[in-house]
Amino acid sequence: MTNHPAETIELELSILMRRFLAVTANGRIGSLDRSAYLLLHQISSHGSAGVKALAEEFHLDISTISRQTAALEQKGLVYRIPDPQDGRAYSLQITETGTKELALNKQARFERVADFLKNWSLEDQQQFGALLHKFNRTFVE
């Protein structure tokens, strides 16, 4: 009996996540951990953002994002922009150091993924990228 495609996809995604995390752990690809990389990428790509907006984007609770962004702030990768209407609220903006660190990590990750795909045709790479993008968009719709 043939498995439903979702069974194969679920298993393959689990294997992918395990393997990708294994090769990116302990600075093996860049110096940023996954949460730092994704938060910096989000802020860099979409502009300053508050903790609530980041929590919604990543489907995490505010306390988790607060801890993660506090670590970024402590490392000098982001800084707070106070909200003029609400003295308790703030947005986070990437620093020059954060921009440089993000660029270095993006390049290191790109090179690693490109190496994994070196034996794939350009068409297969484009199709895989498009399908991953489509799949990731299902979480935000």
Side-chain angles (χ1 to χ4, degrees):
M1 180 173 226
T2 305
N3 289 345
H4 189 282
E7 288 183 62
T8 302
I9 293 167
E10 179 279 323
L11 176 61
E12 294 301 326
L13 283 173
S14 297
I15 293 168
L16 172 66
M17 288 184 287
R18 169 67 57 97
R19 289 179 178 165
F20 194 73
L21 289 174
V23 299
T24 60
N26 301 320
R28 289 172 58 184
I29 297 182
S31 59
L32 297 174
D33 65 29
R34 179 178 36 122
S35 63
Y37 177 78
L38 290 173
L39 286 168
L40 288 176
H41 189 279
Q42 179 70 19
I43 294 167
S44 176
S45 298
H46 300 284
S48 63
V51 172
K52 182 179 178 189
L54 292 169
E56 289 172 0
E57 173 65 27
F58 293 109
H59 300 269
L60 295 170
D61 59 81
I62 292 174
S63 64
T64 299
I65 293 292
S66 292
R67 282 191 305 277
Q68 293 173 350
T69 56
L72 294 177
E73 189 175 14
Q74 188 176 34
K75 293 174 184 174
L77 303 176
V78 298
Y79 64 93
R80 293 180 187 201
I81 302 170
D83 182 333
Q85 275 71 40
D86 181 352
R88 298 169 297 163
Y90 59 90
S91 303
L92 294 157
Q93 180 62 48
I94 193 167
T95 64
E96 188 175 323
T97 301
T99 299
K100 289 177 185 174
E101 197 66 30
L102 177 61
L104 289 171
N105 279 262
K106 281 176 79 170
Q107 184 63 34
R109 286 169 173 254
F110 163 76
E111 289 171 4
R112 187 63 179 259
V113 172
D115 188 50
F116 289 140
L117 297 171
K118 68 184 172 200
N119 294 322
W120 289 36
S121 71
L122 183 58
E123 182 181 336
D124 283 351
Q125 291 180 48
Q126 290 169 333
Q127 184 178 15
F128 185 57
L131 290 171
L132 278 174
H133 178 79
K134 181 178 181 179
F135 184 73
N136 277 329
R137 296 293 64 81
T138 64
F139 292 93
V140 295
E141 294 173 349

